[in-house]
Amino acid sequence: MQRFLLATFIIVFAPFLWPQSNQQPTAGQTAAAPGSPQAAPLPDSSPAHPKTEILDSSATGGALATDGHDPVLDPPPLPEGTTTLAGGVISGVDRVRNHMTIKVFGGGKWTVAFDERTHIFRNGAETTWAALKTGERVYVDTMLDSDHHNILARNIRVGVAELPADAEGQVVDVDARRGTVALRDRINASTVHFAIDKDTRIVQGGHPGGLQDVQQGSLVHVSFAPRSANRGLAREIAIIATPGSAFTFLGKVTYLDMHRGLLAIQNAADERNYEIHFVPSQIGDARKLAVGMQVKIVALFEATQYRAQAVTLTQTASEPEEK
């Protein structure tokens, strides 16, 4: 009887007495030994995706979000302002400090900086800094770089053909044997020397002339190819006036000084202003002269100035112009 009760007890209470460690482990878990603590699940070993995070957007100044410009790696933009063309001959190149020295046509020396923003051309094709050599003729588009307090080259043209230049003034010397003409420039009063060759064209009053027509004291306009400071090869010499020649001016009075006996007239023929000296007592209508009047003036060129011989009023300042 006791054996029967023992067997019945085992059958009824066996499920409650069996250890739970005998249960099957779930996926991703390993079975623990009986009586040992349950092992913690293993962390996920799959690689994480890289991610870039900008903690302080002020460090870029907003440039990365607007135009893609990197303020650290990229060169700064070109400075704003006007561009000035300068021509001359390279007298030195410093490739460490990235600047060159130019003897500018007309006198003086400029130190011009260049960097990654500078474009360099030789005969129209873009090239590198290696093209910058001492003695080369260059024309440079320059800008003032206020950030670095220097002159920056935007474009450098090396080995280009000579660009024409102009000068106007009075002839101070003519050397027919050497084929040279010296001119006192009317703007800066400096003396400029020009060479004359067989291709130089000389005109007077719209008609062809020769070197014998270029007299000392003549007013001339010269188109030339600069070779160095204050020197060049004359391509054309236009004789404006020779001493003792008479001229007729027709136009509007733009300046009047009765005390000095000086007036300026805007000549209708060429739209240029001419200063003309006169003696008020010798001009019959001198008291009627006023700025804005239309006049006709006959004047002689006296080596350094025009002297009025006759002044005729053709229209007062208050009269309407005929259309």
Side-chain angles (χ1 to χ4, degrees):
M1 183 66 179
Q2 293 179 350
R3 292 181 180 177
F4 174 77
L5 292 176
L6 179 61
T8 302
F9 178 82
I10 294 175
I11 295 173
V12 174
F13 293 98
F16 299 96
L17 300 177
W18 194 266
Q20 295 184 1
S21 60
N22 291 337
Q23 297 180 0
Q24 295 294 328
T26 59
Q29 296 181 339
T30 57
S36 64
Q38 186 176 358
L42 296 176
D44 188 4
S45 60
S46 58
H49 294 287
K51 180 176 67 173
T52 301
E53 183 177 357
I54 299 177
L55 300 179
D56 184 7
S57 59
S58 62
T60 64
L64 293 176
T66 56
D67 57 6
H69 175 261
D70 190 329
V72 178
L73 300 179
D74 295 342
L78 287 169
E80 298 181 356
T82 58
T83 301
T84 302
L85 176 64
V89 177
I90 298 176
S91 60
V93 181
D94 189 336
R95 304 187 189 281
V96 176
R97 297 179 177 87
N98 290 345
H99 67 247
M100 62 181 177
T101 305
I102 303 175
K103 291 183 179 179
V104 182
F105 297 133
K109 289 185 178 182
W110 287 15
T111 299
V112 181
F114 54 85
D115 57 21
E116 297 88 346
R117 299 169 291 178
T118 304
H119 296 278
I120 303 174
F121 303 90
R122 174 179 286 278
N123 298 325
E126 190 160 5
T127 180
T128 65
W129 299 348
L132 303 178
K133 299 178 181 179
T134 301
E136 286 276 9
R137 182 190 303 271
V138 293
Y139 288 91
V140 186
D141 295 322
T142 61
M143 304 183 72
L144 181 61
D145 189 353
S146 57
D147 293 338
H148 299 86
H149 306 287
N150 57 16
I151 300 174
L152 175 67
R154 180 170 186 166
N155 299 301
I156 302 176
R157 297 173 179 86
V158 184
V160 297
E162 297 173 339
L163 298 181
D166 297 280
E168 185 173 305
Q170 190 170 29
V171 176
V172 295
D173 182 65
V174 179
D175 191 334
R177 184 176 62 86
R178 295 183 178 180
T180 59
V181 173
L183 172 73
R184 181 181 295 111
D185 189 81
R186 70 178 181 87
I187 297 179
N188 56 19
S190 62
T191 301
V192 186
H193 299 267
F194 302 101
I196 308 296
D197 62 10
K198 59 182 181 62
D199 296 323
T200 301
R201 183 170 176 260
I202 300 176
V203 295
Q204 184 176 14
H207 303 286
L211 185 58
Q212 68 278 1
D213 299 317
V214 182
Q215 305 175 18
Q216 187 173 351
S218 297
L219 288 180
V220 297
H221 180 93
V222 182
S223 298
F224 65 99
R227 290 182 169 177
S228 62
N230 299 326
R231 291 187 180 274
L233 173 63
R235 294 179 174 177
E236 180 181 280
I237 299 178
I239 302 174
I240 300 173
T242 57
S245 56
F247 294 87
T248 300
F249 302 95
L250 182 63
K252 182 188 296 185
V253 177
T254 58
Y255 173 82
L256 179 62
D257 188 336
M258 295 294 293
H259 179 73
R260 297 172 57 196
L262 178 65
L263 65 83
I265 181 174
Q266 185 177 7
N267 191 36
D270 55 9
E271 295 296 329
R272 298 179 61 185
N273 273 279
Y274 294 87
E275 290 186 350
I276 300 177
H277 295 260
F278 65 96
V279 179
S281 61
Q282 297 178 0
I283 304 300
D285 295 332
R287 295 183 177 274
K288 298 180 181 179
L289 284 174
V291 173
M293 282 186 171
Q294 295 287 337
V295 297
K296 177 182 178 181
I297 302 176
V298 177
L300 292 178
F301 179 64
E302 298 179 346
T304 60
Q305 62 186 21
Y306 293 97
R307 174 81 52 185
Q309 304 298 305
V311 179
T312 304
L313 306 182
T314 61
Q315 181 182 335
T316 63
S318 59
E319 293 178 356
E321 296 183 5
E322 296 182 1
K323 296 183 179 180

